[in-house]
């Protein structure tokens, strides 16, 4: 059973999507480690180390995602998580912005997959499966 | 500190106040001298006083409108608010950014800096504390309607000081409603204590003849919250505020989606708040209601979002809500631009002004729903007073600890998070799992019966999947999350 | 010809038919062979048959949506309809241009020519007759839902032949509703006769096992038409159609604005239509209702127009209307683009699907309004049968001549144009001047009382100025046209 | 009392605005000659000749205004109405179009004043007064 770390980053308290993501990934047979809302980069990284996770799935709903996610890839590397996959999704920037630009900004920060508003966890189950090589 | 529901003495308040003002440099502003502030606010014209305008508003038939809005920088924020006033907003907000809400002023400062550098707002609201009294006064000077801070701050004491000193005559929030949906680990005793401070501050102004409005945040987590739970929390916060000397209170409610249930809820919110305030001996209270347009996940399509906004406006006006908080066609995407925010206001305004001479007619169905809510709220409040040995503040903390009162989908560990709501076959929000909720068996049986009707119609069991389906439903253009392939008429 | 309400014999019909087909070259198409058409229509899949889809629709809870739309050229028209289908239209229209409506095919030809030349539609609709059967078939081939012609043609006989032969299985209109609001000098006896032909044509198809829907145009002039008048006309046209062999009828109503009155009207429209059809011995009738979103002047602001559209959708769904005709945010400006038309559909669809499991609750207020309408409609129809000595067609013509039935703001000289409507203090449409309207004194007294309540609240007399103010009101964002400076609460 | 001819041109049956224009201009003290809906250019011109009108106020609501108004100025001249003022208003073209262009098209046809949707008769009372030199 592969482990996936999930949580909501920064000062963000949007808890509903997080609960549904936990429910859905668990139903799909993953070992879900949920660091919950209001989580720092360190919270995610520590959980990933503890559970040898393959994927950190970061939610950011409240708009500060850009500020909160800065430097996360570097912190992962410092912690020795060299190959860990980083996903980010929800409403990751403030307002309606051109998604191609937004995607670029987050890819430049080292995220492997970046999702626009409206993409639900159900929509990415196949991608997760493929990326985790099941 | 020993929490109880008792008006703080002036000395107690002033002692704590010293500490509060030290928590960030902007607290050190001479404009925060309370007596000078009182005199400044005395000169505020009536049309900029939130409390007075609400009294005027209640005499009118039309539901008043207020959007949500806030950006990082002062000039942009003023420009934004002026746009919203021009679009027809009757009351203006300043929605506060999320760092400020968690008292992370250092990060807010960074957000302001980067926003200035990049020429776009990287914060999701207006960082009131960092900007300080003068800037807040400047914002008020540049608009012609009353201003309110809308935030979600468990400890918003410095924020309250700053906004009121600047002449913003309303503050949204409460010890429960700005903790449970907005925090993870802050104890309820603490947040209730912080909000006693905010209420006591308003009480100070009231004691000196300045009316200031307070507004508990009715929708809580905005996610299929059963009406009686939301109403009970609103009443508790109204009572706690009244104890500290608050006189002008707007209790709130977030649209659930079944029109009869929504109308009944607004009626009961007002009736029961007044009932408890009277019963507990608070005099000269002025109570109004605020209806929040759908607070859960919105549809992505902007035309669909507009439809939802106008439908909500129809319900608010027919229910006779004093005020309504408007959403925008961008809701599911992100913080709206000023133009998009205007659309939400105009769309809503059209509906409430068209319908201003109309009310939802009395009917048996409405009365039944009202009676159900009345029964449930009485039941919850009785239990809360009971476990608090008659003290509401203590009772509330205990009731949450025991799960007697519980809020679904909350991020906070201060609520049991055991109850699960789901819709019945007409879309009314009912309860699927009660956890330890302080309901009688009779009430529980009613909820079960209603959910069984739906389960039967859908040919499936009552499980969490129903709740999950209901959470997604509205963003998919439905109210009830039906299973795939469901056809209504097979069951007619 | 001697007009009476009697099913035309096949010979009578066929004799007239020869002449009709000669009225424009496209009538000369071999595809217009009736028996071949019957066979072609037999092969039409059920989901493209308007009448069958309506039967299906009525079993569902949700109100079905249909926009208005039509442009000059075939490819553009197909593109337009495909956009509307993609946006969620359940039924598609082809709105016909105004030259065709007046049988001015030569001018329509010129409109097509100039439109082709300039690459933009200079016609306000799709010129069905000029395009002929083949092109109409092509349109149907390119969509996946049933098609209806929507026009306003007093003499739409050739139009009816062409569309039905092309597989369009519904035709809007009627001898009254497509004359009084759409013509000036065409006699009512003539237009009723022309529409007997159209109905007889549908009767022919029905006699051969092909279901075709017919839809009287309920809103008439769309301008504060008192509900009982609109409903009476709908019932008359349903009865006239049934006599010629029509089986599947959708009676219509244009939103007036007071929600209780609107819901009561939809209920009465259905109840009374069925009542009269049964009473007059028509069997196997299938009756549905259509609610038209506000048919009067729209607000200019697009967000406000969206609000009105969604509010209308709320009412239609709660009233249980089978179908709704949608408007668009451009309504007050001009014919909408396909994108703007999509917005109207999506906005409406959101509301009706959200509310599909809900109905307006029964209440005394609703019943009173229903009873009032019932009384008024009975009164009008009794008088009409009386002056017609039992013949409905003759009675209708006479009743219009005498002003016993009268439609406000009509361009036609066939109606007395004496009655004047105005809103009461809750926004219900009442009658200010009755002209010769066939109402009892009791009914008149009720209307007067209601208008006096308003006059008193506004401190002015009941005059035409009230009507004028009401006509402008909705485009100014109000339902009731109050005098300047009016404040509701002074009267509370 | 100066005369104004009003009416709705072409195959247009929108009667409500026409009725209100008649009511309003009459109230303002003009001799209003209403040729009503479904009126041809000739109907307007004949009424203007008969009543020595100074102004023809053409309404077009249904969108065919451009087709219906073509050649009206020339017909006026042929009929000897050299100085007559021509106004047109309502919803004079099909759809939402750039009004500057629309105005130009109608001015080129010889109309003196051209109004976009939403301009009511009340809005132009002052202009009429000025144009008729009262
Ligand atoms: C409910 C809600 C709230 C509730 C939250 C209750 C709670 N504690 O959970 C309350 C009212 C408390 C709230 C508060 C605030 N909110 Co809020 N909220 C919403 C709302 C309406 C719905 C969110 C929701 O629950 N949806 C249902 C769940 C199931 O969907 P979801 O959360 O989107 O999650 C799904 C997907 O996003 C996806 N997903 C999530 N993460 C990831 C990650 C990956 C990798 C992938 C693939 C997918 C994925 O899968 C999830 C499950 O399918 C949204 C707008 C909307 N969507 O309509 C705004 C919204 C998220 N909120 C917003 C904001 C700004 C706030 C506030 C700052 C206040 C304000 N200005 O209104 C505060 C923030 C407080 C804080 N510190 O965080 C903004 C964010 C703006 C932006 N990004 O530009 C939004 C978009 C509204 C808006 N347009 O302004 N909010
Ligand atoms: C009511 C109405 C109808 C009723 C009319 C009943 C009747 N016989 O009078 C009915 C339902 C029958 C109808 C039919 C049609 N209509 Co219609 N109708 C309307 C509607 C909703 C309101 C018109 C109205 O009465 N307004 C109230 C009065 C007081 O205002 P008014 O008419 O605009 O007049 C005022 C001003 O325009 C101004 N004014 C008028 N003339 C002039 C001239 C001058 C010089 C000046 C300064 C001012 C001025 O002063 C008037 C008084 O203040 C409008 C859209 C809207 N405005 O919201 C569409 C509209 C006019 N109709 C339209 C159309 C296309 C039609 C139809 C072809 C069918 C269709 N496609 O829906 C048929 C036409 C039939 C025909 N042969 O003419 C279109 C025209 C499109 C365009 N120009 O691009 C409109 C704009 C709707 C739309 N957006 O599609 N209609």
């Amino acid at each position: 059973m592969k482990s996936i770390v999930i949580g909501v980053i920064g000062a963000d308290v949007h808890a509903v999507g997080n609960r549904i993501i936990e429910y859905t990934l668990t139903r799909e047979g993953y070992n879900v480690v949920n660091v919950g809302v209001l989580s720092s980069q360190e919270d995610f990284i520590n959980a990933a180390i503890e559970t040898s996770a393959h994927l950190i799935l970061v939610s950011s709903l409240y708009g500060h995602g850009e500020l909160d996610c800065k430097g996360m890839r570097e912190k992962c590397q410092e912690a020795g998580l060299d190959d860990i996959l980083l996903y980010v999704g929800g409403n990751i920037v403030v307002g309606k912005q051109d998604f191609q630009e937004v995607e670029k900004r987050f890819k430049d920060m080292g995220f492997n997959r970046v999702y626009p508003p409206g993409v639900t966890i159900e929509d990415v189950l196949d991608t997760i499966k493929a990326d985790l090589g099941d | 500190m020993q929490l109880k529901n008792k008006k703080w003495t002036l000395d107690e308040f002033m002692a704590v106040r010293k500490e509060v003002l030290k928590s960030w440099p902007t607290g050190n502003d001479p404009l925060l001298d309370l007596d000078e502030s009182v005199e400044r606010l005395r000169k505020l014209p009536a049309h900029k006083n939130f409390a007075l305008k609400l009294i005027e508003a209640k005499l009118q038939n039309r539901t008043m409108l207020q959007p949500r809005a806030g950006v990082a920088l002062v000039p942009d924020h003023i420009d934004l608010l002026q746009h919203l006033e021009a679009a027809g907003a009757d009351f203006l907000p300043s929605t506060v950014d999320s760092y400020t809400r968690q008292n992370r002023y250092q990060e807010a400062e960074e957000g302001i800096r980067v926003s200035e550098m990049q020429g776009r707002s990287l914060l999701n609201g207006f960082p009131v504390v960092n900007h300080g009294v003068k800037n807040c006064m400047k914002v008020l000077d540049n608009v012609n309607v009353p201003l309110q801070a809308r935030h979600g701050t468990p400890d918003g004491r410095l924020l309250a000081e700053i906004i009121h000193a600047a002449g913003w005559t309303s503050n949204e929030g409460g010890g429960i409603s700005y903790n449970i949906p907005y925090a993870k680990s802050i104890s309820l005793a603490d947040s209730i204590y912080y909000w006693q401070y905010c209420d006591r501050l308003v009480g100070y102004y009231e004691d000196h003849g300045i009316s200031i409005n307070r507004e508990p945040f009715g929708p809580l987590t905005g996610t299929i919250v059963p009406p009686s739970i939301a109403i009970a929390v609103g009443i508790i916060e109204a009572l706690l505020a009244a104890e500290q000397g608050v006189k002008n209170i707007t209790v709130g409610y977030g649209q659930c989606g079944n029109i009869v249930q929504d109308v009944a809820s607004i009626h009961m919110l007002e009736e029961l708040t007044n009932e408890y305030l009277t019963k507990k001996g608070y005099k000269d209270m002025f109570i109004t209601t605020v209806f929040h347009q759908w607070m859960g996940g919105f549809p992505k399509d902007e035309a669909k979002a507009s439809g939802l906004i106008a439908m909500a406006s129809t319900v608010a006006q027919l229910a006779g809500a004093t005020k309504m908080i408007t959403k925008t066609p961008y809701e599911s995407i992100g913080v709206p631009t000023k133009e998009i925010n205007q659309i939400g206001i105009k769309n809503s305004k059209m509906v409430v002004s068209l319908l201003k001479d109309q009310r939802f007619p009395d009917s048996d169905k409405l009365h039944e729903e009202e009676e159900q809510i009345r029964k449930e709220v009485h039941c919850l409040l009785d239990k809360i007073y009971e476990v608090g040995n008659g003290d509401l503040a203590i009772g509330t903390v205990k009731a949450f600890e025991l799960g007697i009162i519980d809020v679904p989908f909350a991020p906070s560990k201060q609520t049991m998070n055991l109850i699960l709501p789901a819709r019945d076959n007409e879309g009314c929000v009912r309860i699927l799992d009660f956890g330890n909720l302080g309901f009688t068996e009779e009430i529980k049986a009613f909820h079960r019966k209603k959910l069984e009707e739906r389960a039967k119609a859908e040919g499936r069991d009552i499980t969490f999947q129903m709740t999950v389906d209901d959470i997604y439903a509205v963003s998919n253009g439905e109210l009830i999350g039906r299973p795939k392939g469901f056809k209504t008429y097979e069951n007619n």
Side-chain angles (χ1 to χ4, degrees), chain A, chain B:
Chain A
M1 212 164 54
K2 299 216 165 144
S3 297
I4 303 180
V5 175
I6 68 168
V8 188
I9 201 165
D12 193 337
V13 298
H14 289 91
V16 185
N18 176 255
R19 181 138 175 206
I20 291 189
I21 293 174
E22 174 173 343
Y23 168 78
T24 307
L25 292 179
T26 306
R27 193 193 59 201
E28 294 295 312
Y30 295 104
N31 176 37
V32 180
V33 188
N34 190 354
V35 296
V37 301
L38 283 170
S39 292
S40 63
Q41 296 184 0
E42 289 75 12
D43 294 336
F44 283 93
I45 292 170
N46 292 339
I49 295 171
E50 271 172 40
T51 59
S52 316
H54 293 74
L55 165 62
I56 297 178
L57 196 147
V58 177
S59 293
S60 176
L61 283 305
Y62 74 152
H64 293 186
E66 228 174 317
L67 297 167
D68 297 330
C69 290
K70 234 189 304 176
M72 180 145 185
R73 174 57 74 191
E74 291 73 18
K75 284 224 182 83
C76 285
Q77 279 158 347
E78 284 163 28
L81 294 173
D82 290 324
D83 299 328
I84 194 137
L85 286 166
L86 292 180
Y87 285 16
V88 64
N91 302 68
I92 61 178
V93 290
V94 173
K96 186 175 178 174
Q97 301 186 20
D98 178 63
F99 186 68
Q100 297 219 305
E101 270 179 43
V102 171
E103 187 174 23
K104 189 171 177 311
R105 276 185 237 149
F106 280 85
K107 290 227 159 152
D108 287 350
M109 285 191 236
F111 281 82
N112 303 84
R113 298 197 182 273
V114 185
Y115 294 96
V119 176
T120 66
I121 188 66
E122 284 79 3
D123 298 334
V124 300
L125 290 175
D126 287 345
T127 310
I128 294 178
K129 220 170 170 181
D131 278 359
L132 296 192
D134 306 311
Chain B
M1 136 227 162
Q2 164 60 41
L3 183 71
K4 42 180 207 290
N5 181 27
K6 183 91 197 65
K7 185 168 183 176
W8 292 17
T9 64
L10 194 55
D11 287 349
E12 283 169 339
F13 174 66
M14 285 303 182
V16 177
R17 189 168 194 263
K18 266 202 202 118
E19 298 310 307
V20 167
L21 296 184
K22 279 189 209 146
S23 56
W24 186 254
T26 49
N28 196 14
D29 193 322
L31 286 169
L32 283 167
D33 180 282
L34 256 186
D35 296 326
E36 280 181 28
S37 294
V38 165
E39 291 318 311
R40 256 198 329 275
L41 266 71
R42 220 184 283 291
K43 297 197 198 94
L44 203 67
H47 69 272
K48 282 197 183 186
N49 182 298
F50 219 100
L52 300 182
K53 187 162 174 180
L54 276 167
I55 294 175
E56 167 86 9
K58 211 181 169 175
L59 290 170
Q60 296 183 29
N61 280 336
R62 178 173 66 75
T63 296
M64 300 286 126
L65 303 186
Q66 183 178 21
R68 290 192 177 80
V71 288
L73 307 176
V74 178
D76 300 348
H77 188 60
I78 289 174
D79 180 46
L80 171 58
L81 294 187
Q82 288 176 337
H83 269 78
L84 304 182
E85 188 184 323
D90 301 295
F91 294 96
L92 284 171
S94 291
T95 301
V96 175
D97 72 289
S98 292
Y99 293 136
T100 302
R101 293 166 185 225
Q102 311 283 339
N103 311 100
R104 285 151 72 161
Y105 308 125
Q106 196 56 62
E107 283 164 87
E109 200 67 36
E110 170 72 5
I112 295 176
R113 202 185 58 77
V114 182
S115 298
E116 267 168 352
M117 227 172 54
Q118 303 205 6
R120 64 186 172 101
S121 180
L122 274 94
L123 292 180
N124 59 12
F126 183 74
V128 163
V129 171
N130 294 60
H131 285 316
V133 183
K134 261 223 182 84
N135 280 314
C136 290
M137 287 171 75
K138 196 167 156 194
V139 174
L140 183 63
D141 279 346
N142 280 286
V143 298
N144 303 296
V145 301
L147 258 178
Q148 177 189 47
R150 302 186 70 87
H151 39 129
T153 316
D155 180 4
R157 291 176 294 175
L158 181 55
L159 184 155
E161 289 282 358
I162 289 174
I163 59 159
H164 294 323
W168 298 14
T169 38
S170 179
N171 189 11
E172 195 199 39
I176 307 162
S177 66
Y178 266 14
N179 178 347
I180 302 298
Y182 286 104
K184 186 150 109 180
S185 316
I186 296 171
S187 94
L188 205 56
D190 286 349
S191 59
I192 291 179
Y193 171 82
Y194 301 145
W195 277 91
Q196 282 183 328
Y197 179 95
C198 298
D199 287 331
R200 187 61 185 81
L201 174 63
V202 172
Y204 183 92
Y205 280 102
E206 288 283 357
D207 291 345
H208 292 76
I210 306 295
S211 291
I212 289 185
N213 170 257
R214 280 273 296 108
E215 179 181 330
F217 176 63
L220 301 173
T221 54
T223 306
I224 41 176
V225 179
S228 59
I229 293 179
I231 293 172
V233 169
I235 294 172
I236 295 170
E237 292 191 346
L239 288 164
L240 294 173
E243 177 63 28
Q244 300 303 324
V246 175
K247 296 282 170 206
N248 188 300
I249 300 176
T250 306
V251 275
Y253 170 79
Q255 180 185 25
C256 280
N258 176 288
I259 294 182
V260 172
Q261 189 176 46
D262 283 337
V263 173
S265 295
I266 286 293
H267 290 178
M268 287 304 98
L269 183 63
E270 181 159 4
E271 175 191 305
L272 297 171
T273 303
N274 278 309
E275 175 188 311
Y276 276 93
L277 286 168
T278 306
K279 197 156 74 183
K280 298 296 167 185
Y282 299 109
K283 302 242 160 60
D284 307 320
M285 302 298 299
F286 189 82
I287 303 303
T288 45
T289 55
V290 54
F291 181 92
H292 293 249
Q293 294 181 346
W294 179 247
M295 288 294 290
F298 252 62
K300 202 173 165 179
D301 182 88
E302 292 169 29
K304 292 195 172 181
S306 288
L308 176 50
I309 287 169
M311 189 276 261
S313 305
T314 307
V315 179
Q317 178 61 47
L318 292 181
T322 321
K323 192 176 78 169
M324 172 167 62
I325 307 296
T326 59
K327 291 246 169 173
T328 83
Y330 275 8
E331 175 62 15
S332 84
I333 309 296
V335 171
T337 62
K338 48 183 184 285
E339 292 80 13
I340 296 291
N341 212 329
Q342 288 186 312
I343 291 179
I345 298 169
K346 289 186 191 167
N347 178 330
S348 305
K349 188 92 168 215
M350 181 71 194
V351 176
V352 294
S353 26
L354 275 178
L355 297 178
K356 66 169 164 288
D357 299 296
Q358 299 180 43
R359 287 294 175 280
F360 203 74
D362 267 344
S363 66
D364 290 348
K365 207 173 160 95
L366 181 64
H367 287 163
E368 280 160 28
E369 208 55 57
E370 287 175 353
E371 184 51 32
Q372 184 64 31
I373 294 169
R374 197 182 280 120
K375 217 186 291 180
E376 294 180 9
V377 170
H378 281 153
C379 181
L380 289 174
L381 278 162
D382 284 354
K383 290 252 161 80
I384 291 168
Y385 274 108
E386 199 185 302
V387 294
N389 279 321
D391 186 284
L392 182 60
I394 298 169
T396 300
V397 173
K398 280 215 183 133
F400 268 98
E401 270 167 23
L402 299 168
I404 290 173
I405 185 157
D406 196 357
V407 176
F409 303 107
S412 171
K413 292 176 183 154
Q414 316 304 308
T415 190
M416 274 235 165
N417 237 322
L418 283 181
I419 84 156
L420 287 178
R423 296 187 183 281
D424 71 16
N425 211 34
E426 290 180 273
C428 289
V429 174
R430 310 293 180 197
I431 300 171
L432 175 159
D433 196 326
F434 298 92
N436 295 345
L437 203 66
F439 276 173
T440 61
E441 276 314 310
E442 184 206 339
I443 294 174
K444 290 185 186 173
F446 171 82
H447 284 257
R448 272 191 217 105
K449 195 189 85 200
K450 283 293 179 181
L451 289 174
E452 271 157 21
E453 282 169 19
R454 169 175 173 189
K456 194 169 155 243
E458 294 178 358
R460 61 167 168 174
D461 292 339
I462 306 178
T463 67
F464 182 56
Q465 188 61 47
M466 252 185 201
T467 310
V468 172
D469 293 342
D470 285 350
I471 288 173
Y472 280 129
V474 172
S475 57
N476 295 330
E478 313 275 328
L479 186 62
I480 309 174
R482 304 293 193 181
K484 275 201 191 79
F486 175 77
K487 282 204 176 150
T488 318
Y489 58 93
E490 282 171 7
N491 309 289
N492 281 353

